[in-house]
Amino acid sequence: MKRRDIVRISDILDQIQSYLPGANTYLVEKAYVFAAKAHAGQIRKSGEPYLAHPLAVAYILSQMRLDLPTIAAGLLHDTVEDSATTIEDIRKHFGEEVALIVDGVTKLSALPTSSRLHQQAENFRKMLLAMAKDLRVILVKLADRLHNMRTLEYQPEHKRRRIAQETLDIYAPLASRLGIDWLKRELEDLSFRYLYPEDYERLKTEVEKRLEEAQAYVEEVKTLIRQTLEKHGIKARVLGRAKHLWSVYRKLERYGLTIDQLDQIYDLIGFRVIVKTVKECYEVLGIIHALWPPIPGRFKDYISLPKPNLYQSLHTTVLGPKGKRIEIQIRTEEMDRIANEGIAAHWLYKEGAILSPGQARKFEWLERLVELQKELQNPREFLESLRMDLFPEEVYVFTPQGDIKVLPRGATPVDFAYAIHTEVGHHCARAWVNGRLVPLDYKLQTGDIVKIDTSPQHRPSRDWLKFVKTSRARSRIRQWLRTEEKERVVAAGREMLAREFRKHRKNVSEFLESEKALEVARKFNLKSVEDLLAAVGYGKLTPLQVLKKYLGEEKTEEPTKIVCEKVPETGEYRCTGEVLLMDGTRDVLFHLSRCCNPVPGDEVVGYITRGRGISVHRVNCPNVALLDDERKIEVRWEKADGQVHPVRLSVITQDRKGMLAAVSSAVSAAEANILKAEVQTTPDRRAIFDMVVEVTDRRHLEKIMANVRSVDGVLKVERRLA
């Protein structure tokens, strides 16, 4: 059935018969007639009769294969709130069971989402108490919210955003905690669509394009898995499914990537292998690991240790065809059903009897929440105790007014400040959590009440980039730093240029106000005179270079690169070239960064420090991402200087006698010295060597690593950061 088709009562009855053949549906039909009378004459904002909404909710509940009282309650869920009907009327006509569900949903529908802390805590408490009393209350509410989200376009924009945020903050996590995966995914994607419409459309287009391009690869992987399992006598369903858009967007945020960098996300498509028995799950795992090498640290066994929402599956990531990483989930048919339906799976008929809602108490987290209702009356304590039980991936913190802010785990007061407003973030001076002054890098916990003190004198610090977690905070900080930094360096560049011009008895103002200044800027591949001044201020160009271009004493040439060598007499490094010459000299102090230990031959990048010359990093050093792009500069090695440099290696081998001696001999055969070596063994009979060797350049390093790889029993050799 298409999403926007109006549901008829016959659609619901047919759906019920598909999983409860022969069931007496009189209760549902009676509820339909009652709801039709109660909502007579009412119209939704879409222009449809209001009855279309409870019909859609009931149909969603029937798709969840729920029992008849729940579907009847879905038809009746708005009658008390939106008509003259009372709970007593529902109890009289449909009994206590249906009345309790309708009453629970009615109360939840009226919950505010922006109030003081005590009220917020009570909202959570009411919702959890309703769930604990009868989980069918929240299932009806989730179906109600899903249909409202599907028709959200008819609401005004401010209401769309509020409802979408509430859905993302509360209802999608609840669906996840209840294990109803399909519902969680749809709620998240619909929220994404209305909260970030531009990003949603862009990401949707980019993902669809890549999925189309990857279709042949997906079919190849599925066929290989299926054929390999058949050879081992295992029949399985093999599926390839794209991750939903919100999860992809969150992953981009988590790794600090933009939508343009989507290609760096390797697991847009996940594969699922569904078999008959638990025994076959583990057999399939072994077969797949024999077919493709597993990625270390990427295996999880949720069969032996199910998630709190009863989810069970084996997860592994392997290096598949063409060297691409692929994620594979392995589970039984029953596990797959529970993974999609979650708690709803426990209301199915089995041999004509309904499973009692009380059996849902096998959800241990729900048992803990029921106990919390009795033990914790303090709102803050109650919310803190919910942290790991209800919302494991995010933290829910509060403004002093009681408004909820949802942040990623590990977020700090600075992230919170930017979530309030960019200007609050920019001028964040101090943070108070639960009335106590805390450092700005304090990790927020669910239930924290956060107050930010601002000051016009306070500005973002580059150090904040080391601990903020949200992409919003990171991008706003970087944007401010770039703007503020550029203003300073443009002024510095102007002053440096003025000094150089004065030496040659030239007027810098006359130059800068003339068309010649823009011509000079373009000769250096710069777009404006301001960019020219900034390049001088950053040290990318010398005032003398600019003056020569202006006077026409030098031909246009490509920007020169720095050539770096070690000075034998002093052991210092110096760079030569016609850049970074702040005072007109040609020599610039240079040092190798200790965080990544570059050696001659490595691809490197220079960074203009304050007072310490140029710091040189390997281009893949993690710290490079934290550095200001405006102060990075191209550098290269001229030649190896014959000096030795320390490099850290990690070598993984089989744990057997003589391996240390064999590895040491391989290093010595490459004419290298070992400065340090530590060995650890693992329970799976592996040995891990952490060693520091002396090398003259990258070729020497590659020779050492090749020698070590050739040793029998060596499994892996890699270069490590210092």
Side-chain angles (χ1 to χ4, degrees):
M1 175 172 295
K2 292 181 181 178
R3 179 175 297 177
R4 298 307 305 276
D5 286 347
I6 294 178
V7 175
R8 298 166 299 179
I9 185 61
S10 59
D11 299 319
I12 297 169
L13 299 177
D14 289 345
Q15 180 68 19
I16 292 171
Q17 291 297 328
S18 72
Y19 64 94
L20 298 176
N24 183 348
T25 57
Y26 173 72
L27 183 70
V28 173
E29 294 172 57
K30 181 181 176 183
Y32 165 69
V33 173
F34 190 97
K37 290 179 180 178
H39 295 300
Q42 296 178 356
I43 303 295
R44 301 195 86 210
K45 282 186 167 57
S46 62
E48 298 171 334
Y50 194 88
L51 187 63
H53 172 63
L55 280 168
V57 170
Y59 186 72
I60 292 168
L61 294 169
S62 70
Q63 287 179 307
M64 295 166 72
R65 300 161 66 88
L66 296 181
D67 61 298
L68 301 180
T70 308
I71 296 171
L75 286 163
L76 299 166
H77 78 277
D78 273 343
T79 54
V80 174
E81 187 174 338
D82 294 330
S83 77
T85 304
T86 66
I87 284 295
E88 286 305 317
D89 293 331
I90 301 295
R91 186 174 289 111
K92 176 182 175 182
H93 290 91
F94 299 96
E96 186 67 26
E97 188 176 11
V98 174
L100 282 173
I101 299 173
V102 172
D103 187 37
V105 176
T106 302
K107 290 177 181 178
L108 290 174
S109 299
L111 287 181
T113 56
S114 293
S115 59
R116 294 196 172 274
L117 176 66
H118 185 83
Q119 232 177 334
Q120 274 291 359
E122 288 309 305
N123 292 340
F124 276 110
R125 195 185 299 275
K126 288 175 185 176
M127 185 176 290
L128 296 172
L129 281 171
M131 290 168 59
K133 193 170 185 180
D134 193 330
L135 271 173
R136 291 176 294 182
V137 170
I138 198 60
L139 295 177
V140 173
K141 183 57 189 173
L142 286 171
D144 172 48
R145 178 52 59 111
L146 177 59
H147 185 251
N148 282 333
M149 288 298 296
R150 287 174 174 177
T151 56
L152 196 58
E153 66 212 69
Y154 298 105
Q155 296 287 352
E157 183 181 356
H158 73 279
K159 200 166 184 181
R160 287 201 301 264
R161 292 188 60 82
R162 179 180 63 77
I163 294 171
Q165 190 66 60
E166 179 185 70
T167 301
L168 196 60
D169 292 349
I170 297 174
Y171 293 102
L174 275 171
S176 176
R177 214 65 184 86
L178 294 167
I180 312 173
D181 186 58
W182 71 269
L183 182 56
K184 174 191 84 91
R185 286 186 283 112
E186 187 170 350
L187 288 174
E188 287 179 339
D189 280 356
L190 287 167
S191 300
F192 180 22
R193 175 185 173 189
Y194 291 106
L195 285 172
Y196 311 104
E198 292 181 6
D199 285 350
Y200 174 86
E201 292 300 333
R202 277 190 62 209
L203 186 60
K204 184 170 181 285
T205 300
E206 292 297 322
V207 168
E208 286 174 352
K209 182 170 70 176
R210 282 160 177 77
L211 292 179
E212 188 176 337
E213 293 169 353
Q215 196 56 47
Y217 182 79
V218 172
E219 292 304 319
E220 177 188 353
V221 171
K222 287 165 60 179
T223 301
L224 275 170
I225 294 174
R226 194 180 299 110
Q227 290 176 347
T228 304
L229 295 181
E230 285 175 357
K231 289 178 183 177
H232 289 80
I234 297 176
K235 290 184 178 180
R237 285 197 297 128
V238 184
L239 310 173
R241 188 189 72 175
K243 294 204 169 182
H244 68 294
L245 293 179
W246 178 245
S247 70
V248 175
Y249 188 73
R250 288 294 302 276
K251 182 163 283 193
L252 287 171
E253 283 196 322
R254 192 158 57 246
Y255 293 118
L257 303 174
T258 65
I259 293 174
D260 295 330
Q261 297 170 299
L262 184 60
D263 288 332
Q264 296 185 37
I265 302 295
Y266 68 85
D267 55 351
L268 288 179
I269 300 171
F271 294 88
R272 185 172 298 163
V273 180
I274 302 171
V275 293
K276 293 180 179 178
T277 66
V278 172
K279 180 172 177 287
E280 285 182 333
C281 288
Y282 288 97
E283 289 174 354
V284 168
L285 179 70
I287 292 167
I288 287 176
H289 282 182
L291 180 63
W292 296 306
I295 305 298
R298 297 289 297 173
F299 168 68
K300 292 179 181 177
D301 185 349
Y302 293 118
I303 293 180
S304 298
L305 295 170
K307 290 185 179 183
N309 60 11
L310 304 185
Y311 175 89
Q312 289 183 289
S313 188
L314 299 177
H315 290 194
T316 187
T317 301
V318 298
L319 208 59
K322 301 176 184 176
K324 294 183 179 180
R325 288 188 177 197
I326 53 177
E327 278 191 350
I328 300 175
Q329 300 172 352
I330 307 164
R331 61 181 67 153
T332 65
E333 292 282 359
E334 178 68 6
M335 291 174 191
D336 190 56
R337 185 173 65 83
I338 291 174
N340 282 288
E341 299 174 12
I343 188 63
H346 294 272
W347 269 274
L348 290 176
Y349 274 73
K350 289 189 177 179
E351 298 179 359
I354 297 178
L355 291 175
S356 165
Q359 290 182 297
R361 291 298 175 84
K362 65 173 65 177
F363 279 57
E364 294 180 3
W365 63 273
L366 187 57
E367 289 183 347
R368 290 195 294 270
L369 294 183
V370 172
E371 292 302 314
L372 281 176
Q373 311 306 317
K374 302 173 184 176
E375 298 172 5
L376 298 178
Q377 295 304 313
N378 181 281
R380 186 175 64 80
E381 290 181 3
F382 170 62
L383 288 168
E384 286 176 350
S385 298
L386 288 180
R387 183 172 65 247
M388 293 304 295
D389 286 325
L390 192 55
F391 306 113
E393 300 301 325
E394 296 103 357
V395 292
Y396 285 65
V397 297
F398 297 90
T399 67
Q401 293 74 37
D403 294 334
I404 289 181
K405 293 296 173 185
V406 185
L407 298 168
R409 189 161 299 283
T412 66
V414 176
D415 293 291
F416 176 87
Y418 278 101
I420 299 294
H421 193 278
T422 297
E423 288 303 310
V424 176
H426 282 348
H427 301 293
C428 174
R430 295 185 302 176
W432 301 82
V433 174
N434 305 323
R436 182 170 58 90
L437 188 64
V438 298
L440 292 181
D441 62 354
Y442 169 84
K443 292 184 178 180
L444 298 172
Q445 307 294 323
T446 290
D448 282 344
I449 307 170
V450 186
K451 178 177 178 292
I452 301 295
D453 286 344
T454 60
S455 168
Q457 286 72 44
H458 274 77
R459 298 287 187 272
S461 164
R462 189 168 297 280
D463 288 338
W464 290 1
L465 293 173
K466 296 177 182 177
F467 57 75
V468 294
K469 292 295 181 184
T470 60
S471 60
R472 177 185 175 87
R474 188 174 298 277
S475 64
R476 298 298 190 278
I477 293 166
R478 283 179 169 166
Q479 183 180 29
W480 188 92
L481 290 171
R482 281 196 297 268
T483 303
E484 189 76 5
E485 182 88 357
K486 190 167 185 179
E487 290 175 1
R488 289 200 302 267
V489 298
V490 165
R494 185 186 298 272
E495 177 59 32
M496 292 162 61
L497 209 55
R499 286 202 303 267
E500 189 66 37
F501 271 55
R502 282 197 298 270
K503 287 180 187 177
H504 295 79
R505 298 180 181 179
K506 298 293 180 183
N507 188 318
V508 74
S509 296
E510 183 180 311
F511 163 67
L512 292 174
E513 292 169 4
S514 70
E515 293 183 3
K516 190 74 174 177
L518 184 57
E519 291 177 18
V520 170
R522 286 174 177 167
K523 287 178 181 179
F524 288 109
N525 296 319
L526 300 170
K527 294 180 180 179
S528 67
V529 176
E530 185 182 62
D531 289 344
L532 178 68
L533 293 172
V536 174
Y538 279 122
K540 293 183 176 182
L541 293 174
T542 68
L544 187 58
Q545 283 178 291
V546 175
L547 181 64
K548 285 182 176 181
K549 291 288 187 189
Y550 173 49
L551 298 176
E553 296 176 9
E554 185 176 73
K555 295 179 180 178
T556 302
E557 58 186 29
E558 291 295 318
T560 56
K561 298 179 181 180
I562 304 173
V563 179
C564 306
E565 294 185 90
K566 195 170 187 178
V567 181
E569 294 82 3
T570 64
E572 290 285 335
Y573 283 88
R574 288 197 174 274
C575 301
T576 60
E578 292 198 338
V579 289
L580 298 174
L581 307 181
M582 309 289 273
D583 58 358
T585 65
R586 288 178 172 271
D587 291 334
V588 180
L589 185 65
F590 167 86
H591 66 272
L592 300 177
S593 173
R594 292 184 179 180
C595 58
C596 55
N597 281 341
V599 300
D602 279 339
E603 191 177 353
V604 289
V605 61
Y607 181 72
I608 305 167
T609 67
R610 288 187 169 89
R612 297 186 62 230
I614 304 169
S615 173
V616 173
H617 298 255
R618 286 161 56 191
V619 293
N620 59 352
C621 174
N623 288 333
V624 169
L626 300 174
L627 302 178
D628 181 7
D629 290 338
E630 296 288 349
R631 292 166 65 187
K632 293 177 186 175
I633 192 161
E634 186 179 3
V635 299
R636 65 177 174 84
W637 300 97
E638 184 180 47
K639 59 183 178 181
D641 54 20
Q643 301 294 317
V644 291
H645 307 266
V647 171
R648 186 178 174 188
L649 295 179
S650 175
V651 183
I652 301 176
T653 74
Q654 296 173 353
D655 182 14
R656 66 187 192 203
K657 188 176 180 181
M659 284 307 302
L660 178 58
V663 170
S664 300
S665 296
V667 174
S668 298
E671 300 179 355
N673 182 43
I674 299 176
L675 294 177
K676 176 185 174 183
E678 294 180 356
V679 184
Q680 290 182 328
T681 57
T682 63
D684 59 348
R685 299 192 61 78
R686 296 284 186 268
I688 302 172
F689 295 76
D690 185 359
M691 55 173 52
V692 179
V693 299
E694 292 181 327
V695 306
T696 55
D697 57 21
R698 187 174 179 83
R699 286 186 180 180
H700 188 202
L701 173 61
E702 289 171 351
K703 181 180 179 182
I704 295 168
M705 294 175 71
N707 278 14
V708 174
R709 285 192 188 98
S710 68
V711 174
D712 184 33
V714 169
L715 305 174
K716 184 178 182 181
V717 183
E718 64 180 1
R719 183 178 178 182
R720 301 283 299 277
L721 293 175

